Amino acid sequence: MDKNNIAIPLTKKDFVSDQEVRWCPGCGDYAILSQVQKVFPQLGIPKENFLVVSGIGCSSRFPYYMDTYGFHSVHGRAPALASGAKLSNPELSVWMVTGDGDAMAIGGNHFIHILRRNLDINILMFNNRIYGLTKGQYSPTTELGKRTKSSPHGTVDYPFNPPQLALGAAGTFIARGIDREQKHLQELMKAAHAHKGTSFVEIYQNCVIFNDGVFSSLTDKMEKQNNVLVLEQGKPMVFGKDRNKGLCLVGSKLKVVTIGDKYNLSDVLVHDETNKIKGLLLSELTYEDGFPTPIGILYREDKSSYEEMMMEQIDNAKLQKGKGKLDKLFHEGHTWEVK
Amino acid sequence: MNDVDRSSQQRENLEVVTIRFAGDSGDGMQLTGTQFSDNTAIVGNDLSTFPDYPSEIRAPLGTLAGVSSFQIQFSSLDIHTPGDKLDVLVAMNPAAMKVHLKDLKDHGILLINTAGFSKKNLKLAGWKENPLEDKSLNNYRLIKVDMAQLVTDATGNLGLSPKIIKRSINMFALGFLYWLYDRNIDSTIKFLKSKFAKKLDVIESNTRALKAGYNYGETLEIIKTSYRIPKAKFKKGTYRNIMGNQAITFGLLAASEKAGLELFYGGYPITPASDILHYLASYKNFGVKTFQAEDEIAGVVSSIGAAYAGSFAVTATSGPGMALKTEALTLAVSAEIPMVIVNVQRGGPSTGLPTKTEQSDLYQAMFGRNGETPIAVVSASTPTHCFEAAYEASRIALEHMIPVILLTDGFLGNGSEPWLIPKYDELPAINHHQTTDAENFLPLSHDEKTLARPWGIPGTPGMEHRIGGLEKTEGSGNVNYEAENHQYMTELRQKKVDIIADNIPNAVPLGEESGDLLVLGWGSTYGAIRTAVKKCISNGQKVSHVHLMHLNPFPKNLKTLLKGFKNILIPEVNSGQLNTIIRAKFLVNSEGFNIIQGRPLTVHEIFDKIQEVVKG
């Protein structure tokens, strides 16, 4: 815990474990793993203070590949395990890796409650909109009507909209990245770390086997600029190959406009990550045709974390009552002596 | 007080008395009983209590289902149960009388609040004729009092609301019982003042009702005698009254302090275990961290996380919650996580009988998991023994680096008795396996004596390692799917539990180590079995009693003990779970005695059964 102990600066190598990585060749998870291994040494945290926790699923094999403390837990329950560890030792930098099935289906309850409590934990949710480890069933984020192994006639399940779910659960840091956008992803991870509270980073990730190309319109070199809106704090929401498209607010709805025609740059909405209404509007675009997909920090809010308030209560109790003495506690209330 | 001249009064000494307060669940019977218990402790009697209430907070008024009761046995002797038959039954309405009258002794005192005996209430209880007005109660010493009227009279000049007056009626009954047993009412007045603080009208109304009840005793024709139960002969020391659930928290807290670890509790509210969370949440100045999770699963998983990070972690629940925790428990076994899981058992299956007691989760504790997942099981036998059992469960968890299930039940959790307060310094030491020795650290290596793995906690330089629920390699802890390795690890997990037997005391029988009959018990049947067996022994019968605290593994001498008796009787509040396990493990012809009615076994039932078995 003493930062002075770090004589040699940490590098990516320090975070690569000796375990063989067993994701499918071409899986988007490799890129994300690599970004995390690059970012961790840059955070100024002693290596031993990192804890990587996961649930179950392809993404949840992640801790085995990180040379940190790691816990591969129960399907859907990683938020609970991460919470317990963080409360036990608030000094730890806790990272939780999960997937769309793990976090949104079996672990949906824990997901909303960790956000509500705002523990200082960073959640990386790899969203490939499919179940990979069980070989190709639809997930809670699969688009309506999609044919999968368990929906041969197309799904009749409306999908969750993860950022919106996170907003509804009172999340205080809601961001989205893409496995292929590596530099951008690194910046998001650093921002997630800097945020004191639960940080939720949804990462669009390609499953080469069961859902290949699901985000190709967002990653294809020719197409992506027209389909991705990179959010930057204080900057207008401009996108497009020619940087001539923008989002405007018309009434209470967003509209895509072309700059230079009827609209100029000053008409375009300026991103303010602390504005919840804007965050909500941006989150609406998750499955919306005709709109770009926003990536970056959709919403951010500062408020006390659960563990801060918990420790404050404990400190106050110790101040007011004095540090607990068992012999005294045992004798509280009526006692009598037998001689 | 007592400002009544009692010189004209006769007093008689008694050894042991059992009374029960019964009324609607809104009549304040639990509070009345608790007050009487506290007062009994002050007098220096031994005591044992049994609160029994419906699961509805305010069940329909006047109905049989809505009856709430509180039973206490108190004595100048060493007693182990809340008593079988009642010397006094207080019934606040017809339903309460209907439910409980069968337990009242012949010539027992039946104190009736006639105000509760309206036509409507009689009908709700299923009485066509008013039993107070015919001769059907002639077998009892019936005291009919319009408590509502007397309390109204006593508070007449205060101008209080009828609601406040109505809620004071239970104090009248309490006051009368204080008179009957020659008590001082000051402890309750002090309690009222502190509970209602600034609500002076409530304090006054309750106090006057209490005194009215006390004074009423003076005027009675039917009972000219009040009773005194001399002090019990206790071992030397300082005592307090304690409930099982509170004793659990003291045991856990003492273990955490002894081990030098912070106590973490993750849990979800459930009857009858919630008090454990309530008590622990109030120990903040001990650094106790309580986490009210979103569900039972998060309760146990957060505890696993906290244990991994270095806390002494605990969760508590009751049967249905235990079922939800099952998968996480298998992770705790697989990852060798030290923690305690308390199951305050209640009647099942499903929601079952939430407020009633049962011992029906033993199979669940022993076997109720996927895969081969052995877990150590410890059980508590009395409310005060909950302290010792919690301390022991904690010790095993920390010394062996494994999860331990601690079984108690609703009867133990809510019941109370005098507790000889231990001195913290005299409690046995508890070791744990946290280490900072990075050079020799192998995450899944095992200590020879305890088979504990080293507890390398996050934040310690040089010991970074991964752990989880996939099958592992001993030593490195790395994932391993090899066939022989799985058999090796499966056997290792079993050995981790078995080896505990080297580290626990032998079972000590009451009575001889051989004879005609061994009565074998576990959990809250202790008091009833012990009392029944003592009676048999004093009658010259060759009957002994062994009560198991360690259920997995069993004490090493159990086999020898079992083989020493012609007959083995196993009374349980289930349909024979320990009996099945004992028969399977030791190939003995043991017999079960099983009452599954959501209530504790009585001394009579066990005594009669023993006679039946011994006489063949």
Side-chain angles (χ1 to χ4, degrees):
Chain A
M1 280 175 220
D2 185 357
K3 286 177 189 175
N4 300 326
N5 283 345
I6 316 168
I8 311 156
L10 295 166
T11 64
K12 183 184 173 188
K13 255 192 188 164
D14 292 304
F15 290 94
V16 178
S17 84
D18 60 357
Q19 296 297 292
E20 184 194 350
V21 184
R22 294 192 187 176
W23 288 312
C24 307
C27 176
D29 290 359
Y30 284 94
I32 306 170
L33 174 64
S34 179
Q35 303 329 307
V36 173
Q37 287 167 336
K38 280 180 196 159
V39 167
F40 274 19
Q42 300 175 42
L43 298 179
I45 293 174
K47 180 177 158 174
E48 64 271 16
N49 277 8
F50 284 103
L51 172 61
V52 183
V53 174
S54 67
I56 299 293
C58 291
S59 58
S60 290
R61 296 299 173 94
F62 201 94
Y64 290 118
Y65 310 136
M66 295 290 300
D67 192 7
T68 61
Y69 285 94
F71 208 130
H72 178 221
S73 74
V74 189
H75 201 8
R77 320 301 173 201
L81 197 131
S83 298
K86 182 72 182 178
L87 296 180
S88 172
N89 182 0
E91 298 288 312
L92 299 176
S93 175
V94 181
W95 294 72
M96 184 192 124
V97 178
T98 182
D100 42 315
D102 194 54
M104 306 270 110
I106 194 166
N109 194 31
H110 312 300
F111 175 75
I112 56 177
H113 286 280
I114 193 174
L115 289 170
R116 167 175 78 82
R117 294 193 185 102
N118 200 36
L119 279 98
D120 187 12
I121 289 171
N122 309 301
I123 301 176
L124 308 179
M125 187 185 84
F126 301 4
N127 183 3
N128 54 18
R129 297 187 176 172
I130 200 79
Y131 282 180
L133 203 58
T134 52
K135 301 191 186 336
Q137 301 82 7
Y138 64 92
S139 91
T141 57
T142 303
E143 314 88 281
L144 182 70
K146 180 147 188 151
R147 288 171 193 267
T148 71
K149 266 197 191 159
S150 55
S151 58
H153 303 281
T155 72
V156 289
D157 269 41
Y158 295 108
F160 263 142
N161 177 338
Q164 205 160 71
L165 182 64
L167 265 175
T172 60
F173 182 99
I174 296 159
R176 177 187 284 143
I178 300 176
D179 53 5
R180 296 276 196 92
E181 298 294 332
Q182 304 187 354
K183 284 268 152 57
H184 182 256
L185 204 49
Q186 287 186 29
E187 293 313 309
L188 284 187
M189 288 173 188
K190 286 179 200 166
H193 164 72
H195 176 69
K196 296 296 159 213
T198 309
S199 306
F200 172 57
V201 184
E202 177 190 32
I203 304 169
Y204 282 166
Q205 170 252 328
N206 191 41
C207 173
V208 282
I209 308 295
F210 296 108
N211 208 10
D212 195 21
V214 62
F215 299 115
S216 59
S217 68
L218 309 180
T219 53
D220 183 278
K221 271 192 183 149
M222 306 300 285
E223 279 188 70
K224 69 177 185 185
Q225 283 166 320
N226 288 331
N227 295 324
V228 175
L229 167 66
V230 182
L231 298 168
E232 289 177 88
Q233 176 66 357
K235 301 259 174 74
M237 298 182 194
V238 172
F239 65 104
K241 207 180 283 176
D242 303 320
R243 306 283 299 163
N244 66 342
K245 288 186 176 161
L247 287 182
C248 284
L249 192 62
V250 178
S252 60
K253 287 192 170 165
L254 291 178
K255 187 184 172 184
V256 175
V257 300
T258 305
I259 299 160
D261 183 13
K262 255 166 66 184
Y263 297 89
N264 56 40
L265 194 60
S266 63
D267 295 319
V268 174
L269 270 182
V270 172
H271 184 49
D272 176 6
E273 59 198 27
T274 66
N275 184 323
K276 203 175 221 164
I277 303 297
K278 284 184 183 171
L280 191 63
L281 289 168
L282 288 167
S283 75
E284 274 288 308
L285 306 183
T286 299
Y287 296 99
E288 209 70 7
D289 284 337
F291 284 91
T293 296
I295 67 169
I297 301 168
L298 277 71
Y299 179 65
R300 189 179 60 73
E301 169 188 351
D302 288 328
K303 66 181 178 193
S304 301
S305 70
Y306 183 99
E307 66 271 21
E308 272 172 2
M309 293 190 283
M310 180 190 76
M311 291 315 297
E312 196 180 307
Q313 282 191 345
I314 289 174
D315 292 343
N316 282 343
K318 283 179 181 169
L319 262 179
Q320 281 164 17
K321 292 190 184 172
K323 196 183 165 333
K325 291 257 183 322
L326 269 173
D327 285 324
K328 198 177 147 208
L329 178 71
F330 289 173
H331 286 79
E332 270 175 18
H334 173 72
T335 61
W336 68 97
E337 191 79 30
V338 174
K339 284 175 188 165
Chain B
M1 206 124 155
N2 303 343
D3 49 10
V4 183
D5 173 21
R6 300 197 64 154
S7 55
S8 61
Q9 214 72 39
Q10 289 183 10
R11 274 200 211 101
E12 193 183 313
N13 277 5
L14 292 177
E15 273 184 350
V16 57
V17 170
T18 300
I19 64 176
R20 188 185 289 166
F21 298 95
D24 254 330
S25 48
D27 277 342
M29 294 296 97
Q30 299 306 320
L31 184 135
T32 310
T34 312
Q35 279 304 301
F36 193 88
S37 308
D38 290 349
N39 193 282
T40 304
I42 293 171
V43 177
N45 294 145
D46 196 3
L47 69 97
S48 173
T49 70
F50 175 41
D52 189 20
Y53 47 89
S55 58
E56 295 80 9
I57 302 300
R58 290 282 184 274
L61 288 176
T63 60
L64 299 175
V67 174
S68 167
S69 71
F70 190 102
Q71 181 171 326
I72 172 172
Q73 177 170 235
F74 51 104
S75 177
S76 58
L77 307 173
D78 182 20
I79 54 164
H80 308 292
T81 75
D84 290 1
K85 288 285 179 181
L86 306 173
D87 297 289
V88 179
L89 172 63
V90 177
M92 304 300 281
N93 68 9
M97 188 169 105
K98 182 105 180 184
V99 171
H100 296 295
L101 192 61
K102 63 180 188 315
D103 297 326
L104 185 59
K105 285 177 186 168
D106 287 350
H107 310 296
I109 295 173
L110 178 61
L111 177 66
I112 294 289
N113 174 25
T114 57
F117 278 63
S118 64
K119 271 196 178 147
K120 187 185 164 201
N121 279 350
L122 282 162
K123 203 178 153 198
L124 280 171
W127 253 303
K128 282 179 188 146
E129 303 295 328
N130 189 345
L132 303 181
E133 285 161 10
D134 56 31
K135 290 181 177 171
S136 61
L137 300 174
N138 280 2
N139 213 10
Y140 309 107
R141 288 191 281 171
L142 178 64
I143 305 168
K144 296 191 285 185
V145 198
D146 187 340
M147 296 186 195
Q149 187 58 50
L150 291 179
V151 173
T152 306
D153 293 348
T155 55
N157 57 350
L158 295 173
L160 298 176
S161 75
K163 198 170 141 193
I164 292 180
I165 294 171
K166 189 163 182 285
R167 287 194 177 163
S168 308
I169 295 175
N170 59 335
M171 286 296 121
F172 183 96
L174 181 63
F176 178 76
L177 269 292
Y178 280 166
W179 171 81
L180 188 62
Y181 292 103
D182 197 20
R183 299 288 179 79
N184 186 306
I185 66 172
D186 291 348
S187 69
T188 293
I189 291 179
K190 197 173 150 196
F191 162 81
L192 291 169
K193 282 181 180 161
S194 99
K195 181 172 169 75
F196 297 110
K198 284 173 188 166
K199 294 178 185 159
L200 295 177
D201 47 352
V202 177
I203 296 171
E204 189 59 25
S205 176
N206 277 287
T207 305
R208 289 202 186 190
L210 184 70
K211 288 183 179 174
Y214 191 97
N215 294 335
Y216 182 78
E218 302 288 307
T219 67
L220 268 187
E221 288 293 319
I222 190 166
I223 296 171
K224 294 206 168 63
T225 316
S226 66
Y227 301 97
R228 181 175 278 177
I229 287 78
K231 283 188 179 188
K233 288 187 190 72
F234 288 103
K235 271 190 212 161
K236 274 185 194 173
T238 308
Y239 285 79
R240 60 171 289 163
N241 199 29
I242 196 165
M243 284 165 63
N245 276 339
Q246 188 174 18
I248 291 278
T249 66
F250 281 179
L252 296 170
L253 187 56
S256 82
E257 295 262 311
K258 212 64 170 182
L261 299 170
E262 257 177 17
L263 181 60
F264 176 92
Y265 178 93
Y268 187 74
I270 184 169
T271 304
S274 305
D275 276 340
I276 294 174
L277 167 61
H278 304 161
Y279 282 116
L280 289 174
S282 71
Y283 304 155
K284 291 224 158 41
N285 59 326
F286 286 85
V288 175
K289 293 170 178 171
T290 53
F291 178 62
Q292 183 176 319
E294 56 273 23
D295 59 24
E296 293 281 359
I297 298 170
V300 64
V301 176
S302 61
S303 299
I304 292 174
Y308 177 71
S311 294
F312 168 48
V314 178
T315 185
T317 185
S318 189
M322 198 67 181
L324 286 166
K325 294 183 194 296
T326 301
E327 186 192 10
L329 291 185
T330 67
L331 175 66
V333 169
S334 177
E336 303 180 28
I337 296 292
M339 64 183 298
V340 173
I341 305 100
V342 185
N343 179 355
V344 187
Q345 299 166 96
R346 65 190 219 187
S350 187
T351 308
L353 306 169
T355 58
K356 310 288 179 192
T357 198
E358 202 163 277
Q359 295 185 294
S360 48
D361 296 344
L362 179 59
Y363 284 162
Q364 184 192 39
M366 295 287 287
F367 312 117
R369 289 167 292 279
N370 60 304
E372 296 233 349
T373 319
I375 293 189
V377 183
V378 170
S379 70
S381 53
T382 70
T384 55
H385 186 250
C386 283
F387 175 82
E388 194 183 327
Y391 196 82
E392 174 68 354
S394 310
R395 182 191 69 81
I396 294 173
L398 292 167
E399 294 192 349
H400 291 264
M401 280 298 278
I402 47 164
V404 177
I405 292 175
L406 170 57
L407 293 176
T408 76
D409 61 33
F411 173 41
L412 295 178
N414 290 322
S416 66
E417 60 182 2
W419 181 47
L420 173 58
I421 302 171
K423 291 200 170 64
Y424 173 70
D425 288 342
E426 292 170 9
L427 295 172
I430 293 183
N431 303 309
H432 62 74
H433 297 272
Q434 286 192 8
T435 173
T436 51
D437 180 7
E439 210 158 303
N440 298 304
F441 179 71
L442 263 178
L444 214 72
S445 55
H446 291 98
D447 172 68
E448 240 170 68
K449 207 173 139 233
T450 57
L451 289 180
R453 70 169 175 90
W455 195 359
I457 64 169
T460 318
M463 301 200 313
E464 292 82 1
H465 67 282
R466 276 64 55 194
I467 201 152
L470 290 171
E471 187 58 284
K472 291 165 269 296
T473 314
E474 195 184 16
S476 69
N478 287 338
V479 175
N480 188 326
Y481 296 142
E482 286 164 22
E484 288 78 15
N485 178 69
H486 180 54
Q487 174 142 9
Y488 176 80
M489 292 304 288
T490 301
E491 288 167 3
L492 176 65
R493 286 186 283 267
Q494 182 62 50
K495 275 187 209 149
K496 279 198 65 149
V497 173
D498 294 342
I499 207 167
I500 296 166
D502 294 344
N503 205 2
I504 59 174
N506 275 336
V508 182
L510 170 77
E512 300 298 321
E513 299 207 347
S514 62
D516 291 335
L517 174 68
L518 175 69
V519 187
L520 181 67
W522 69 280
S524 66
T525 53
Y526 172 85
I529 298 177
R530 179 113 321 194
T531 311
V533 171
K534 273 185 179 172
K535 203 167 144 191
C536 298
I537 293 172
S538 68
N539 290 350
Q541 292 181 297
K542 288 178 179 165
V543 178
S544 300
H545 176 206
V546 164
H547 213 77
L548 295 171
M549 173 183 187
H550 298 94
L551 296 167
N552 196 23
F554 289 125
K556 280 184 164 173
N557 67 333
L558 184 59
K559 186 174 183 176
T560 315
L561 284 173
L562 291 169
K563 302 285 179 189
F565 291 85
K566 282 183 202 152
N567 299 289
I568 298 160
L569 178 68
I570 305 183
E572 294 176 84
V573 189
N574 62 40
S575 50
Q577 300 191 7
L578 178 65
N579 190 28
T580 308
I581 295 167
I582 292 288
R583 290 175 69 101
K585 197 167 168 75
F586 300 106
L587 295 173
V588 291
N589 188 24
S590 54
E591 184 182 343
F593 176 60
N594 309 97
I595 302 275
I596 316 143
Q597 300 177 2
R599 61 165 175 90
L601 298 181
T602 66
V603 178
H604 277 97
E605 287 166 342
I606 295 172
F607 182 79
D608 292 350
K609 182 68 190 177
I610 292 173
Q611 300 313 312
E612 187 191 313
V613 174
V614 171
K615 280 164 191 153

